[in-house]
């Protein structure tokens, strides 16, 4: 089993920045991909970014150039640096991990535009 705990969400004005963290614990020795997804009110959950254990990243087009994903394997933590935030970035952000073809999800952290 894998437990994921997100943190770092909050209120932010348009143009501001936030860094989200996702700490993994449990049987994490074979986690391959870690990702961020988000779900805005009334919308489906959507992909934001992913990073493999080797550091290969993929960023959704809607946030490319503004968001970056990184990973600290020693701390079992993945980060999402969000810059130049827009009102449409308001959502609950979820961390996900894939291990042995199983998906694990955190409970999410809220990011809200305060403009």
């Amino acid at each position: 089993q894998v437990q994921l705990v997100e943190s770092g969400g909050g209120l932010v004005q348009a143009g501001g920045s936030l860094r989200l963290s996702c700490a993994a614990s449990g049987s994490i020795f074979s986690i391959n991909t870690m990702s961020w997804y988000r779900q805005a009110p009334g919308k489906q959950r959507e992909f934001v970014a992913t990073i493999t254990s080797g550091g290969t990243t993929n960023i959704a087009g809607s946030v490319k150039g503004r968001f970056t994903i990184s990973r600290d394997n020693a701390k079992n933590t993945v980060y999402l640096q969000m810059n130049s935030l827009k009102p449409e970035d308001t959502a609950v952000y979820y961390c996900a991990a894939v291990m042995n073809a199983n998906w694990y999800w955190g409970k999410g952290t809220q990011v809200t535009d305060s403009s």
Side-chain angles (χ1 to χ4, degrees):
Q1 290 291 325
V2 175
Q3 293 80 44
L4 303 172
V5 179
E6 303 97 334
S7 61
L11 293 172
V12 60
Q13 289 189 336
S17 298
L18 279 176
R19 189 176 80 156
L20 306 183
S21 300
C22 172
S25 61
S27 302
I28 59 175
F29 53 87
S30 58
I31 288 179
N32 183 4
T33 301
M34 295 190 74
S35 305
W36 288 97
Y37 286 74
R38 68 184 182 184
Q39 187 166 17
K43 296 187 176 181
Q44 291 187 333
R45 191 171 298 189
E46 65 174 358
F47 168 77
V48 177
T50 193
I51 185 167
T52 69
S53 57
T56 301
T57 63
N58 186 28
I59 308 292
S62 60
V63 302
K64 189 170 290 185
R66 300 188 297 120
F67 290 13
T68 57
I69 187 170
S70 61
R71 182 170 179 166
D72 186 334
N73 289 329
K75 294 183 178 180
N76 300 316
T77 300
V78 64
Y79 303 99
L80 185 69
Q81 179 66 45
M82 307 186 296
N83 299 326
S84 302
L85 282 160
K86 301 178 180 180
E88 53 264 40
D89 295 319
T90 292
V92 178
Y93 284 72
Y94 296 92
C95 177
V98 178
M99 186 175 75
N100 298 329
N102 295 313
W103 284 75
Y104 299 89
W105 294 89
K107 293 184 178 181
T109 185
Q110 178 73 49
V111 173
T112 303
D113 172 47
S114 63
S115 300

